[in-house]
Amino acid sequence: MSTGSTAILSAASLDEDPWEDLLSFIEERRVIQRGQLRHAEARMEKSTEMRKRWISAALATACLCAMPALAWGAASAASDECVQLAKLSLPDTRITLAEIVPAGAFVPAKPFSLTAPGQQPSYKDLPAFCRVAVQVSPVPDSLIRFELWLPASGWNGKFLAVGNGAYSGEIFYPLMIAPLTRGYATASTDTGHEGSGGDASFVLGHPEKWIDSAYRAVHEMTVESKTLIAAYYTNGPVRSYFGGCSMGGRQALVEAQRFPADFDGIVAGAPANYFTRVETAHLVDAEAMYRNAGSFLTPDKVRLLHAAVLKACDALDGVKDGVIEDPRRCHFEPRVLECTRGTDEPTCLTASQVETARELYGPIREPHTHAILFPGLMPGSEAGWATIAPGMRALGSTFYRYVVFQDPKWNYRGFELDEALRRAESGEAALANAIDPQLDAFFARGGKLIQYHGWADPLISPLNSVDYYLSVARAMGGASRIANDYRLFMVPGMGHCGGGDGTDQFQAPMLTALEQWVQHDRTPDRIIASRIRDARVDRTRPLCPYPQVAVYKGSGSTNAASNFVCRAPSP
């Protein structure tokens, strides 16, 4: 990932903290962004206040006031009560659908774009619910669509909104399944546009749609959803939660930073929160992989590399289990695999492939000062490099083509890093960044934040999550000062939001832990994660709050979480 001179993976490069070099820069960006957004945010505040007045009037005059109160988890909501929601007259808002969907009857209008055709989710086990489709236009050229699903019976009294992925302009129905099944009112938005995950062309000529995508859509969805929940049940949610990964993780941190009153608890997974740097890293990594015909690491070559990394570093934590507990301790040098005869053979890497691996491991550096701009990928993430490379190229290219340079003909080949990044971080592209470490407003009202990241993530460096956590700790007086409000859980062996060789099944226990934290002040000191192989759980392992790691007690199965304890890492 380095530029200029190649950065070699070493203890020094992995221990360097990019936030030390960037604290003043971040503060400058915050000042600039606030200046850019002053007018837009003032307009949003005015619109929100007006909407609140209209909502109060609408709820007072609508026939909904005659609806019987529903006891949570008890009385069923009648079909006509759902239909009545369409009669609500709200400012800048159009309710396009309000109907009861019988149990197991929901069928989406089209397949979910981020899931392969043969792997589309099943909705047959969904309970009956009131489906509400909404369009919100808070400013001209903004059209935010979202859906709110309200349990027809058995509502748990809470609201859980879900995040999006990449640039995908669609409602994430698959992520609404689990919350609805657990009794939540749940919502998802298309972030203000329609389109695929690898296409940011919607921004061209439509700056308001970029603002929708960057931060406005989720907030508008949340405000409107709470209003509709109160109208349907005659009670608003007693607690509101948000969960998302990748782009959804970015949205999660946006909410905590910009709109601290929206949610009581937030789960932010593998967040693309330093968005300008994440997309720059995608482009730099793609350039390394596609530099020439011989530089690309094929699936066979990344498997070879991954096996060598595990052989060198798997047992560093005292357990040989195919997973590296903390890859920062792994100082693997790809040159040990270089072909000695200068030919491309299946059992070794060419010199060009070695160079590619070293660049992906290394951080991106500013070409002139060599300051770290963004951390590199970690040892153990190699298995995903070949399959993720086309996606990296698409994501980085579409960001710079349409958001930064706003030129459909722009090509990433030969781009100048310093000029490109300067353009990205001095313009509206930076509106998507969520790097403000001051979370005092969110924490002051009792907000709780759980963040997680897979150590084997091949798309967003896991060190980005560590860096943000440390920046918050520094800004707010130290790790002990935020321990009751913010916990980071690193997941050994897990890829981007899931997958990999690690224990990547923990979403339900993590949500439960968040609820216990918010509602009963029980700070999570470990979360049990599982791994599923051949349709059965073959391993459990505790996820530990950073900087703690899971340490084997020395006896019993290494596939059982009960035989591990969370401890501070060894020096």
Side-chain angles (χ1 to χ4, degrees), residues 331-368:
H331 309 305
F332 177 79
E333 172 51 66
R335 281 204 176 101
V336 300
L337 292 176
E338 188 168 343
C339 300
T340 57
R341 293 183 290 186
T343 58
D344 189 355
E345 301 175 17
T347 57
C348 57
L349 303 180
T350 66
S352 186
Q353 289 170 335
V354 168
E355 190 66 18
T356 297
R358 296 178 73 219
E359 289 194 29
L360 295 182
Y361 287 135
I364 297 177
R365 294 182 180 272
E366 203 284 327
H368 305 293

Side-chain angles (χ1 to χ4, degrees), residues 7 47 71 114 116 124-125 144 159 209 270 349 372 412 420 427 429 451 482 498 549:
S47 175
L114 298 184
K124 64 181 180 63
D125 293 329
I144 301 165
F159 172 51
K209 292 188 180 300
L349 303 180
I372 293 177
Y412 80 97
Q451 187 171 332
I482 64 172
V549 295

Side-chain angles (χ1 to χ4, degrees), residues 27-42:
E27 180 60 29
E28 178 185 347
R29 290 275 71 76
R30 288 170 57 200
V31 172
I32 291 173
Q33 289 180 33
R34 285 169 179 167
Q36 292 171 331
L37 291 174
R38 191 171 294 116
H39 175 68
E41 289 180 339

Side-chain angles (χ1 to χ4, degrees), residues 312-336:
C313 299
D314 181 7
L316 289 177
D317 59 355
V319 178
K320 195 171 180 62
D321 56 359
V323 171
I324 302 174
E325 179 70 25
D326 184 352
R328 292 174 300 180
R329 299 177 60 196
C330 178
H331 309 305
F332 177 79
E333 172 51 66
R335 281 204 176 101
V336 300

Side-chain angles (χ1 to χ4, degrees), residues 150-440:
L150 303 159
S153 64
W155 180 45
N156 64 14
K158 292 173 279 191
F159 172 51
L160 174 57
V162 299
N164 299 76
Y167 297 98
S168 182
E170 62 183 317
I171 292 169
F172 275 47
Y173 294 125
L175 299 188
M176 300 172 74
I177 296 173
L180 183 70
T181 303
R182 288 184 62 159
Y184 287 93
T186 184
S188 173
T189 174
D190 69 353
T191 70
H193 73 280
E194 295 181 345
S196 70
D199 182 10
S201 62
F202 68 91
V203 177
L204 199 61
H206 299 282
E208 293 295 346
K209 292 188 180 300
W210 177 241
I211 293 174
D212 287 341
S213 178
Y215 64 85
R216 184 164 52 203
V218 171
H219 175 63
E220 292 287 346
M221 173 192 72
T222 303
V223 172
E224 299 284 355
S225 291
K226 290 180 179 180
T227 299
L228 292 165
I229 291 170
Y232 186 59
Y233 294 112
T234 69
N235 294 289
V238 292
R239 298 291 184 187
S240 296
Y241 297 98
F242 184 90
C245 192
S246 193
M247 182 66 83
R250 183 195 69 81
Q251 292 168 328
L253 293 183
V254 165
E255 282 293 309
Q257 295 168 22
R258 287 184 182 274
F259 308 107
D262 278 1
F263 296 101
D264 302 294
I266 290 173
V267 175
N273 62 305
Y274 210 156
F275 198 70
T276 52
R277 302 292 173 93
V278 168
E279 294 296 42
T280 302
H282 288 158
L283 213 51
V284 172
D285 286 353
E287 190 173 44
M289 288 284 276
Y290 293 99
R291 181 173 51 246
N292 55 57
S295 63
F296 190 83
L297 287 162
T298 65
D300 287 340
K301 292 302 180 79
V302 295
R303 280 192 288 270
L304 175 70
L305 179 60
H306 185 61
V309 170
L310 289 180
K311 182 178 180 180
C313 299
D314 181 7
L316 289 177
D317 59 355
V319 178
K320 195 171 180 62
D321 56 359
V323 171
I324 302 174
E325 179 70 25
D326 184 352
R328 292 174 300 180
R329 299 177 60 196
C330 178
H331 309 305
F332 177 79
E333 172 51 66
R335 281 204 176 101
V336 300
L337 292 176
E338 188 168 343
C339 300
T340 57
R341 293 183 290 186
T343 58
D344 189 355
E345 301 175 17
T347 57
C348 57
L349 303 180
T350 66
S352 186
Q353 289 170 335
V354 168
E355 190 66 18
T356 297
R358 296 178 73 219
E359 289 194 29
L360 295 182
Y361 287 135
I364 297 177
R365 294 182 180 272
E366 203 284 327
H368 305 293
T369 65
H370 303 295
I372 293 177
L373 300 176
F374 199 75
L377 301 177
M378 302 304 293
S381 67
E382 305 81 14
W385 288 1
T387 54
I388 210 75
M392 284 183 170
R393 180 168 58 176
L395 291 170
S397 293
T398 198
F399 172 71
Y400 272 98
R401 181 176 297 129
Y402 295 112
V403 183
V404 178
F405 292 105
Q406 299 188 14
D407 178 6
K409 298 180 179 179
W410 183 86
N411 190 288
Y412 80 97
R413 290 290 190 183
F415 85 109
E416 296 293 332
L417 173 63
D418 48 354
E419 171 59 17
L421 194 56
R422 185 193 65 78
R423 286 279 295 270
E425 297 190 335
S426 62
E428 291 194 348
L431 296 180
N433 283 343
I435 56 176
D436 190 343
Q438 296 289 349
L439 299 181
D440 45 330

Side-chain angles (χ1 to χ4, degrees), residues 135-139 141-145 190-193 209 212:
Q135 295 179 357
V136 186
S137 299
V139 298
D141 201 33
S142 169
L143 180 60
I144 301 165
R145 296 179 178 87
D190 69 353
T191 70
H193 73 280
K209 292 188 180 300
D212 287 341

